[in-house]
Amino acid sequence: MPGKRRVLLVVACFWLASVAARAQDIDGFVKRWMASQHVPGVAIAVIKDGALVKAEGYGLADVEHGIPVGPDTVFKIGSVSKQFIATGIMLLVQDGKVALGDKVGKYLEGTPAAWQSITLRHLLTHTSGLVREAPGFDTQKVQPDIDVIKSAYSVPLRFAPGEKYEYCNLGYFVLAEIIHRVSGKAWGDFLGERVFTPLGMSATRVTTLADIVPRRAHGYTWKTGKLQNEDDWPAVRPSGAFLSTVVDLAKWEAALLGDKFLKGSSKTEMWTRVTLNDGRTFPYGFGWQLDDWPADSPVPTGVPMIRHGGSMNGFRAGYSRWPSRGLAVVVLTNLTDAPYEGLAAGLAIRYDPELRTTPR
C-alpha cells in the first residue's frame, strides 16, 4: 500500500475511533443522568452551525407498553413555546400589522384603566405588572383565551408596567389573543402556516388530548420512591402550548441562523435584554432568557447564552443556544421536574470542550 494511502487510512481509522468513543461517552453520560434522576425517557439534539450533529432518544416514551424514545418522539415543551408566540408577534410586526409599542387596549375591548399603559413589549418581556396566572384559568376546563384574560380584568396590577420583571403566563395569553384578532386565524393555525409548515416541523402542533398524535410520549412523575403516571390537562395555555420533537426544534434552530424567516432586526429585538423604567436591564428578551455561560455565573463571562426552559405536568424541556460558539442543545424529557439543566450543560461541554474552561 502506498505510503500516502496508508497515512490517510490511519487518520480515517483514528477519526472513526474518536467519533465512536465520544458517542459512547455521550450515551453513557445521558444514561447515568437518567438513572440518577429517575427519568423514564429523554430525547436530545445537538446542533452545530445549523447542522444537526446528534439526535438520539433514550429510555421509554411509554413505560407501560415498553415503547422507546426516539428522535421523533413527541413531547410537551411547556414554556419553550413562548418563543413561538413571540415569533408570531414579530411576524406581524414585520408585516406592518402591529407595533411593539402598541397598547393592549388597541386590540382588546373593555380592558381596565390600569391596563391602558401596557404595551406588547411589556407582555413579551414579563414586565407588564399582570398577575402570573389569570384567576379564571382552570387546568380541567377548555375555554376561549379571551374568557381567561377577562377574568383578570378586576385583579390589580402587581406593579406599574415596566417597573420590574416578573414571570407572567397571562401576558402570553394576551399576545396569543392579539395574534388571533390581527391575523383572523387561531394562533395555532397562524403559527402552523407561517412557521411550522414552511420549516418542515411536521410534528409541532398545539397540545391536544383528543387527537391522535403519532409517537406521543406519556408523562410521569416520581413520587414516594416510584414512577407514577402524571395527570394530564385538557386546558391549553398559549404560554406553554406546543408539542414538538428534538428534530423539529433542530429545524427551528437552523432557521434562526438565517434572515429569510425572521429578519435580523426582529431577532435583535427578541434577544436584547429588557430595559426597565429606571434604566436597569433584566436578562430576558421576547420569549428567551439571556445569560452568560454558565447560567449561574455571578459575573459576565463573555460567553452569551440564549435559552428557555419549559415545565408541564409530566414533562420538562430545555433549549439552550451559545451563539458565539455556533452551538445549540435541546433536551426533552417525560418527567415532572426533571432537572434537564445539568444534562444540557454536560452535552454542551462534551461537544465544545472550551466551554468547560470558561471562567466562572
Side-chain angles (χ1 to χ4, degrees), residues 59-291:
L60 296 174
D62 187 322
V63 174
E64 291 175 325
H65 297 93
I67 299 172
V69 174
D72 58 353
T73 296
V74 178
F75 293 81
K76 291 182 181 179
I77 64 172
S79 288
V80 174
S81 304
K82 285 184 169 69
Q83 61 194 261
F84 293 116
I85 297 294
T87 294
I89 292 293
M90 294 311 296
L91 290 173
L92 293 175
V93 170
Q94 291 179 178
D95 293 344
K97 294 182 177 179
V98 304
L100 295 173
D102 285 348
K103 304 295 195 299
V104 171
K106 180 177 179 180
Y107 303 102
L108 301 186
E109 71 285 348
T111 50
W115 290 32
Q116 294 310 303
S117 60
I118 297 175
T119 66
L120 272 60
R121 186 182 295 275
H122 290 137
L123 298 172
L124 288 161
T125 56
H126 302 286
T127 58
S128 66
L130 296 175
V131 292
R132 179 172 179 138
E133 305 289 352
F137 177 71
D138 183 342
T139 61
Q140 301 303 310
K141 182 180 180 181
V142 177
Q143 57 184 318
D145 294 331
I146 189 58
D147 290 353
V148 176
I149 295 166
K150 287 182 176 179
S151 76
Y153 279 7
S154 61
V155 180
L157 294 185
R158 293 180 52 79
F159 51 86
E163 183 178 284
K164 65 177 183 177
Y165 167 95
E166 191 173 274
Y167 200 76
C168 176
N169 286 318
L170 172 58
Y172 275 74
F173 270 85
V174 179
L175 291 166
E177 182 67 14
I178 291 171
I179 291 172
H180 165 53
R181 296 191 176 206
V182 173
S183 70
K185 302 174 182 177
W187 48 265
D189 293 341
F190 176 79
L191 287 166
E193 292 176 14
R194 295 288 299 271
V195 180
F196 306 142
T197 297
L199 294 180
M201 297 170 65
S202 57
T204 304
R205 53 160 300 155
V206 176
T207 299
T208 173
L209 299 187
D211 293 353
I212 302 299
V213 178
R215 299 177 295 280
R216 187 206 299 250
H218 190 77
Y220 299 92
T221 185
W222 182 264
K223 289 182 180 178
T224 62
K226 62 182 179 181
L227 197 66
Q228 299 180 14
N229 289 311
E230 183 60 282
D231 294 336
D232 222 337
W233 294 356
V236 174
R237 292 188 298 188
S239 55
F242 294 108
L243 302 171
S244 193
T245 68
V246 294
V247 173
D248 271 11
L249 292 174
K251 294 175 182 178
W252 172 237
E253 171 63 22
L256 288 174
L257 297 180
D259 290 343
K260 292 182 179 179
F261 180 69
L262 277 175
K263 295 179 181 177
S265 57
S266 295
K267 289 183 290 183
T268 296
E269 288 275 14
M270 294 180 74
W271 295 333
T272 296
R273 295 183 175 206
V274 60
T275 299
L276 305 176
N277 293 346
D278 63 3
R280 291 179 298 122
T281 62
F282 189 87
Y284 199 93
F286 298 172
W288 290 97
Q289 293 170 265
L290 308 169
D291 305 294

Side-chain angles (χ1 to χ4, degrees), residues 35-64:
S36 69
Q37 303 300 330
H38 312 293
V39 176
V42 61
I44 66 168
V46 180
I47 306 97
K48 180 67 174 175
D49 297 324
L52 181 59
V53 297
K54 175 78 169 179
E56 195 72 52
Y58 304 85
L60 296 174
D62 187 322
V63 174
E64 291 175 325

Side-chain angles (χ1 to χ4, degrees), residues 305-335:
M305 182 168 61
I306 301 172
R307 65 189 176 102
H308 214 289
S311 299
M312 290 291 288
N313 271 19
F315 297 87
R316 217 54 228 287
Y319 185 165
S320 303
R321 311 178 70 247
W322 292 262
S324 65
R325 311 299 301 174
L327 180 68
V329 173
V330 180
V331 173
L332 303 180
T333 78
N334 60 344
L335 183 75

